[in-house]
Amino acid sequence: MSGWKERVRKVTPYVPGEQPSGRDVIKLNTNENPYPPAPGVARALREIGGDDLRRYPAPDIAPLTGRIAERYGLDADRVFVGVGSDDVLSMCFLTFFRGPEPLLFPEITYSFYSTWAEVYGIPYERIPLNDRLEIDPADYCGRSCSGIIFANPNAPTGLSLGLSAVEKIAASNPDRVVIVDEAYVDFGGDSAVCLLDKYENLLVVQTFSKSRSLAGMRIGYALGSRALIRCLNDVKFSVNSYTMNRAAIGAGCAALEDEAYFEECLSKIVSTRERAKEALASLGFSFPDSRTNFILASHRSVPASKLYERLKEEEIYVRYFNTPGIDNCLRITVGTDAEMDALFAALRRMITEEEAQKR
């Protein structure tokens, strides 16, 4: 009766951050933008009519693809759009990485990479970070592999590689696809988009979820050479031609029209992030110099697991990874100033109580 179980693909699933409900929750655990999307997004959604919903969207997602291409000064056939960058990256794994050589990515990074590799049966090797939690580009040069993927800025460390380091990896692997996952690049990283004309094997993936406040609409995209984008589309159209709904397409186009609002929100988040670094340091935390909308922080005396549980009891949610190398760290999303002040007050009280008990 249970023989079918032997034929089922078995993988360890990716575990997303908690999605608590409730009005009074302070949610700093999934790196969402604390500010609403551009005002034009709501207008675009209100204008969707019955005909829009009863018809399939354009398979090539032409309206949004064209807007993204225009923003980066690229032709539309160098842009691939998917349902969030997770969908885009999953399609990249399916398209570009084939054994028997291993796919290379950092040991501490976005944990979905190993999940996709296992789902698609791709051999992989996780490359350790250095003792400063940095990606060393030399580790990705001269190695046998089926391809390379890394997040820049990296997650959950928040550290960013300079363009020369990214270029070194792409140039050293001309016969392999090199993917740079730039989910957080708008908060202070250096985008590799400027290298695309130089390296046909380079693909840059970005998202609307973080800097454009559209995590709920699921919009991601890849930028690269015509050859790479053509390969992605060939696989996509063999799996699911109509991947993105019309509401998401309209919302994405509207978000790209308001660059002033986009820059204003980025400025507020970066300012709050830098203030948060000062506050956390004063409380006894240490952390890498984040260039994202989150901070990976470790306290000098109070275990991260204990702080995580106590914060959750007060309905303040941060992310805790029970993972070697970062198992005494909290990943704290940068929220509004008011949310961060509430977090600091709670941490100050908890740390004072914990340290008093040790005396």
Side-chain angles (χ1 to χ4, degrees), residues 56-96:
Y56 284 112
D60 59 0
I61 317 177
L64 183 55
T65 300
R67 295 288 179 86
I68 293 171
E70 182 180 348
R71 183 179 191 273
Y72 291 98
L74 300 171
D75 292 332
D77 58 2
R78 296 183 64 184
V79 180
F80 176 87
V81 177
V83 186
S85 61
D86 285 342
D87 177 49
V88 174
L89 289 167
S90 176
M91 199 64 64
C92 289
F93 273 63
L94 185 59
T95 303
F96 299 121

Side-chain angles (χ1 to χ4, degrees), residues 119-278:
V119 166
Y120 296 130
I122 301 167
Y124 63 93
E125 182 179 349
R126 295 186 291 190
I127 310 299
L129 302 178
N130 66 21
D131 57 4
R132 296 182 298 278
L133 295 181
E134 299 167 333
I135 295 172
D136 186 342
D139 291 336
Y140 297 84
C141 301
R143 302 177 73 116
S144 176
C145 66
S146 65
I148 295 168
I149 183 169
F150 58 94
N152 192 40
N154 196 16
T157 66
L159 293 174
S160 182
L161 281 178
L163 282 178
S164 61
V166 175
E167 183 167 13
K168 181 178 180 179
I169 295 172
S172 299
N173 295 275
D175 299 323
R176 304 290 185 270
V177 175
V178 175
I179 299 177
V180 188
D181 180 357
E182 294 187 346
Y184 300 98
V185 74
D186 292 325
F187 300 105
D190 295 319
S191 177
V193 170
C194 63
L195 300 176
L196 293 178
D197 288 339
K198 193 172 180 180
Y199 299 99
E200 188 184 44
N201 63 318
L202 183 64
L203 195 74
V204 173
V205 176
Q206 294 191 11
T207 179
F208 281 55
S209 295
K210 312 301 182 184
S211 57
R212 293 194 182 273
S213 307
L214 284 174
M217 296 305 293
R218 313 306 300 128
I219 305 171
Y221 56 98
L223 310 172
S225 64
R226 290 178 177 83
L228 290 182
I229 300 303
R230 189 180 309 116
C231 290
L232 276 172
N233 276 317
D234 286 347
V235 173
K236 171 199 167 181
F237 292 141
S238 300
V239 175
N240 181 3
S241 299
Y242 304 106
T243 55
M244 180 166 288
N245 64 66
R246 286 177 177 266
I249 294 171
C253 290
L256 288 172
E257 291 175 358
D258 198 337
E259 205 66 14
Y261 181 84
F262 173 65
E263 295 294 340
E264 178 188 352
C265 288
L266 287 182
S267 178
K268 288 194 289 189
I269 291 168
V270 170
S271 176
T272 303
R273 180 190 71 200
E274 297 307 303
R275 187 173 72 87
K277 290 176 183 177
E278 295 178 3

Side-chain angles (χ1 to χ4, degrees), residues 36-51:
V41 171
R43 290 195 296 270
L45 294 177
R46 286 195 297 269
E47 291 170 2
I48 293 175
D51 269 357

Side-chain angles (χ1 to χ4, degrees), residues 296-348:
L296 186 73
S298 175
H299 195 262
R300 65 191 173 202
S301 62
V302 185
S305 57
K306 181 171 284 190
L307 289 173
Y308 165 74
E309 293 295 344
R310 290 200 59 185
L311 286 169
K312 190 160 67 167
E313 289 171 3
E314 300 195 17
E315 295 197 294
I316 300 175
Y317 286 77
V318 296
R319 194 77 191 269
Y320 172 67
F321 300 95
N322 189 15
T323 302
I326 55 170
D327 55 354
N328 193 36
C329 298
L330 299 175
R331 193 194 68 187
I332 302 168
T333 301
V334 177
T336 63
D337 284 329
E339 289 173 330
M340 300 307 285
D341 286 341
L343 170 71
F344 303 147
L347 286 173
R348 185 175 296 108

